[in-house]
């Protein structure tokens, strides 16, 4: 079963240096969906260590739960975030939401 449009929650504004949690979830898809996050349409790597882009942001992305946690946000984390739920039957994307730091 193709995933439904996931519900995404993105904080509107986060003070510099604070942590921020972004959530993405849908429960119609079968098999269970995996989740990927995008900032300004650029994919965020689930593994920050293997990312080829220079990154001074520390975040944890759990593809199984759809949770993206920034441990200490900085100005560069400001942007439009969206999430895609994917399984064998297809994928669905939530609306982009702005997070201001």
């Amino acid at each position: 079963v193709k995933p439904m449009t996931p519900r995404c929650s993105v904080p509107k504004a986060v003070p510099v240096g604070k942590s921020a949690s972004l959530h993405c979830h849908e429960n119609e898809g079968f098999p269970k969906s995996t989740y990927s996050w995008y900032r300004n349409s650029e994919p965020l790597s689930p593994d920050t260590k293997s990312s080829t882009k220079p990154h001074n942001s520390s975040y944890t992305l759990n593809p199984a739960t759809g949770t993206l946690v920034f441990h200490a946000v900085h100005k560069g984390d400001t942007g439009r975030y969206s999430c895609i739920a994917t399984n064998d039957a297809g994928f669905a994307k939530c609306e982009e939401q702005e997070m201001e730091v």
Side-chain angles (χ1 to χ4, degrees), residues 12-100:
K12 295 268 176 275
V14 185
V16 171
K18 295 283 184 209
S19 66
S21 296
L22 288 67
H23 301 280
C24 178
H25 188 69
E26 71 81 40
N27 46 22
E28 298 293 314
F30 186 84
K32 234 167 149 29
S33 295
T34 56
Y35 301 95
S36 47
W37 279 94
Y38 292 78
R39 179 177 62 231
N40 303 330
S41 304
E42 290 280 310
L44 292 175
S45 167
D47 180 5
T48 49
K49 288 164 208 53
S50 73
S51 179
T52 51
K53 290 192 177 17
H55 241 279
N56 52 359
S57 181
S58 63
Y59 63 82
T60 311
L61 201 174
N62 186 327
T65 63
T67 304
L68 170 62
V69 178
F70 290 94
H71 306 294
V73 295
H74 58 82
K75 281 290 188 199
D77 294 322
T78 294
R80 295 184 321 278
Y81 287 83
S82 61
C83 159
I84 295 181
T86 308
N87 71 9
D88 294 344
F91 66 90
K93 179 178 191 257
C94 73
E95 286 290 312
E96 284 189 326
Q97 296 181 42
E98 188 79 39
M99 181 173 83
E100 180 104 22

